[in-house]
Amino acid sequence: MAFPVTRMRRLRYHPTLRRMVRQTRLSVDRFIYPLFVRPGSEIRIPIPSMPGQFQLSVDAVVEECREVAGLGIPAVLLFGIPSHKDAVGSEAYRDDGIVQRATRAIREACPDLLVVTDVCLCEYTDHGHCGAVFERGGFRDVDNDATLPLLVKEAVSHAKAGAHIIAPSDMMDGRVGAIRAGLDQAGFSHLPIMAYAAKYASSYYGPFRDAAESPPRFGDRKTYQMDIANGDEALREVAADVEEGADIVMVKPAMNYLDIIWRVKQEFGMVTAAYHVSGEYSAIKAAAANGWISEQGAAIETTLAIARAGADLIITYFAKDLARWLRAGV
Ligand code: PBG
Ligand code: ZN
């Protein structure tokens, strides 16, 4: 018998054949594009640690959303930078808050674009933590149960402003259930919750914290975000959120947690989102700027890996680039 009978290379020899047998395909339909909104008008401030990303005023974010929608990207994820921060993040749940205003404006300008809003307090608190802080006997931490009603208020005010999907990212216990009940009570039982279900205490959020001006002023987020070493715990986190009514579950970050994405998708069969976070984006940008890797190649390979691991939805700062590349048939 001639050796070898099986030649794996036979299905690779022609580019058209490779196209035919390609198993995982990227589609713009999967992408969610994050945006940072700040007060003012005609403002477009580049974020130094995230080349290609900007802090945008409401009018500028509307312009941006027109472009995003024009590229066929179905959804944006809004983060707000308020004019004033305080201990309990009051601007997060004001009806004229920055995200609420941006949401209304985008809804009006781009009727087919979905507005997903990040529900968390770290952008709005002066201490930079994701909830209200308590101090007892020299011990300071985020107060889980005191934070829940604040998150509920924030979620309901986003819903009133027209948010299509509510995305809590704080990692408090019980917040999905609390937000579900709050939304239902306020007449928004039809609105889905995309829960940041397995969110790790990652070093890769650094550029985001510059962008959102939200680094914690003391300590870190390790008492609420997950330990980077834990896998089984992610399944318990997801199970809890599903039990509490999450419609979409998210794993975050994405690249270093492909095993978690895989396990979550296999175990729950839920619509699963993955967040390719700021540091993952900026690492590719920086290496590409130095000529060390191909930006397009690395961005596509990374996004494909996230999809192959089982992510149905991918939140990525590369969404616009990917949409253009896909359109060009790359
Ligand atoms: C806020 C929040 C963070 C990110 C999304 N929502 C930062 C954090 O938890 O410190 C990170 C996103 C990114 O790095 O792109 N809770
Ligand atoms: Zn937060």
Side-chain angles (χ1 to χ4, degrees), residues 80-94 120-133 147 150 153-154 213-215 217-218:
I81 300 135
S83 48
H84 177 74
K85 303 191 189 224
D86 63 24
V88 289
S90 305
E91 280 207 25
Y93 31 88
R94 267 176 43 178
C120 200
L121 295 175
C122 52
E123 298 111 273
Y124 305 92
T125 52
D126 49 17
H127 46 70
H129 277 287
C130 300
V133 168
T147 300
L150 307 180
K153 277 207 281 186
E154 183 179 7
E213 300 175 6
S214 66
R217 300 296 191 275
F218 69 88

Side-chain angles (χ1 to χ4, degrees), residues 5-189:
V5 172
T6 301
R7 291 180 183 271
M8 299 305 292
R9 291 184 55 192
R10 283 191 203 111
L11 293 182
R12 296 178 198 143
Y13 91 98
H14 195 287
T16 306
L17 190 51
R18 290 200 296 276
R19 173 157 68 90
M20 290 171 75
V21 301
R22 187 160 296 146
Q23 195 183 346
T24 306
R25 279 169 208 283
L26 287 181
S27 158
V28 73
D29 297 336
R30 292 177 187 272
F31 301 149
I32 300 174
Y33 187 53
L35 289 168
F36 300 95
V37 203
R38 63 169 305 138
S41 68
E42 291 178 37
I43 290 176
R44 195 175 167 86
I45 304 173
I47 300 161
S49 54
M50 299 179 71
Q53 308 301 317
F54 301 83
Q55 291 184 345
L56 303 164
S57 51
V58 171
D59 55 322
V61 97
V62 167
E63 277 319 298
E64 186 72 25
C65 284
R66 287 206 172 96
E67 190 190 346
V68 168
L71 286 165
I73 296 165
V76 291
L77 172 59
L78 297 187
F79 295 96
I81 300 135
S83 48
H84 177 74
K85 303 191 189 224
D86 63 24
V88 289
S90 305
E91 280 207 25
Y93 31 88
R94 267 176 43 178
D95 285 338
D96 63 348
I98 188 69
V99 164
Q100 290 82 348
R101 285 195 289 125
T103 300
R104 278 188 218 102
I106 296 167
R107 287 282 317 243
E108 193 161 323
C110 308
D112 294 329
L113 187 68
L114 293 191
V115 178
V116 188
T117 56
D118 182 85
V119 168
C120 200
L121 295 175
C122 52
E123 298 111 273
Y124 305 92
T125 52
D126 49 17
H127 46 70
H129 277 287
C130 300
V133 168
F134 74 100
E135 179 156 9
R136 243 160 261 150
F139 180 71
R140 249 187 325 179
D141 197 4
V142 171
D143 187 332
N144 194 89
D145 296 7
T147 300
L148 297 185
L150 307 180
L151 296 169
V152 171
K153 277 207 281 186
E154 183 179 7
V156 169
S157 85
H158 288 179
K160 282 186 184 155
H164 293 100
I165 299 177
I166 302 295
S169 70
D170 53 284
M171 287 299 280
M172 297 303 124
D173 290 319
R175 92 276 204 217
V176 172
I179 290 171
R180 184 70 272 159
L183 288 173
D184 291 358
Q185 208 165 28
F188 297 102
S189 58

